Amino acid sequence: MSYPWEDWDHITKIDPDKDLVDGETFEDVCETGTDALEIGGTLDITEEKMERVVEATAKYDVPIYQEPSNPGVVIDDPALDGYLIPTVFNASDSFWITGAHKEWVRIEDGLDWDRTHTEAYIVMNPDSSVAEYTDADTDQSAEDVASFARVAERMFGQDIIYVEYSGTYGDPEKVCAAHDALDDATLFYGGGIHDYESAYEMGKCADVVVVGNLLHDKGVDAVRETVEGAKDATAELVDAE
């Protein structure tokens, strides 16, 4: 089975609780060249905020995925291409491995299983909201990260492995170790991507670079630079094969 993210290089993550830079629109976001939009955040997220962003982006030709932080904010909207559900493999609190998911499947109208996919998160920044929220054990070596990635793919059948350094730029050695441990799964990387060079460097390790805070802090021109960096990294890797 093939998945759309196998052809992606770049995702822009939109936090529904944050504003865009003054004067910018969701149309501007969709014209950056990003391959997909992922709508989600860790704190203060509501259904209404999710719906507002989906409605604002649905008219443009960019795939939209919801990444809900908890079952209470899952929305049923035909404009969504799907749902990307995090499961945090290095969470100390088992609620974020399977507990929340047990509640998700109780959603009144049922999950749309054909559009629902999981992301095997490996959370690496101890100071991030997601690390605190999930009580993640972030003290992981490159070998540890590779092992988590391999377990997620080979033992739990995960198609997306997500190395998450939310709020800071990560260690390329650890990200590359995760990539080298995988056979077919797609590796997402998020955290601290802020310009062409950082996107290019991580694009050499990860299959898909995810940019989030940059959109809200610096705007669409900065995001566009990261799109170019990620895509140039992929093109160079392809040329080298």
Side-chain angles (χ1 to χ4, degrees), residues 146-166:
S147 296
F148 271 121
R150 188 175 294 114
V151 165
E153 180 184 33
R154 302 300 293 174
M155 298 183 71
F156 289 86
Q158 298 295 291
D159 296 305
I160 298 172
I161 315 300
Y162 195 141
V163 178
E164 170 66 285
Y165 275 88
S166 179

Side-chain angles (χ1 to χ4, degrees), residues 183-197:
D183 293 326
D184 299 309
T186 299
L187 182 66
F188 287 13
Y189 169 81
I193 300 296
H194 59 280
D195 58 12
Y196 177 95
E197 287 75 18

Side-chain angles (χ1 to χ4, degrees), residues 60-128:
Y60 306 107
D61 190 25
V62 180
I64 307 170
Y65 288 77
Q66 185 188 14
E67 187 187 58
S69 56
N70 66 76
V73 300
V74 176
I75 62 173
D76 182 12
D77 193 310
L80 289 170
D81 289 82
Y83 304 88
L84 298 175
I85 309 296
T87 175
V88 182
F89 269 62
N90 60 327
S92 297
D93 183 350
S94 64
F95 181 77
W96 299 108
I97 304 173
T98 56
H101 311 76
K102 173 175 65 71
E103 301 306 318
W104 268 311
V105 301
R106 295 177 178 176
I107 291 173
E108 182 176 351
D109 295 327
L111 285 178
D112 184 345
W113 290 107
D114 290 336
R115 294 193 296 158
T116 300
H117 313 277
T118 50
E119 304 167 298
Y121 263 70
I122 307 167
V123 175
M124 296 296 291
N125 178 12
D127 298 322
S128 66

Side-chain angles (χ1 to χ4, degrees), residues 1-17:
M1 180 180 293
S2 62
Y3 297 101
W5 51 81
E6 294 173 3
D7 297 322
W8 297 349
D9 302 307
H10 188 283
I11 294 172
T12 299
K13 183 178 288 190
I14 302 174
D15 187 332
D17 191 49

Side-chain angles (χ1 to χ4, degrees), residues 167-184:
T168 192
Y169 189 65
D171 183 345
E173 179 186 358
K174 295 181 180 181
V175 180
C176 286
H179 188 272
D180 292 344
L182 300 177
D183 293 326
D184 299 309

Side-chain angles (χ1 to χ4, degrees), residues 16 45-55 72-73 75:
I45 304 302
T46 65
E47 288 186 55
E48 292 74 18
K49 292 176 182 178
M50 287 281 193
E51 287 280 13
R52 177 182 64 84
V53 177
V54 171
E55 181 179 348
V73 300
I75 62 173

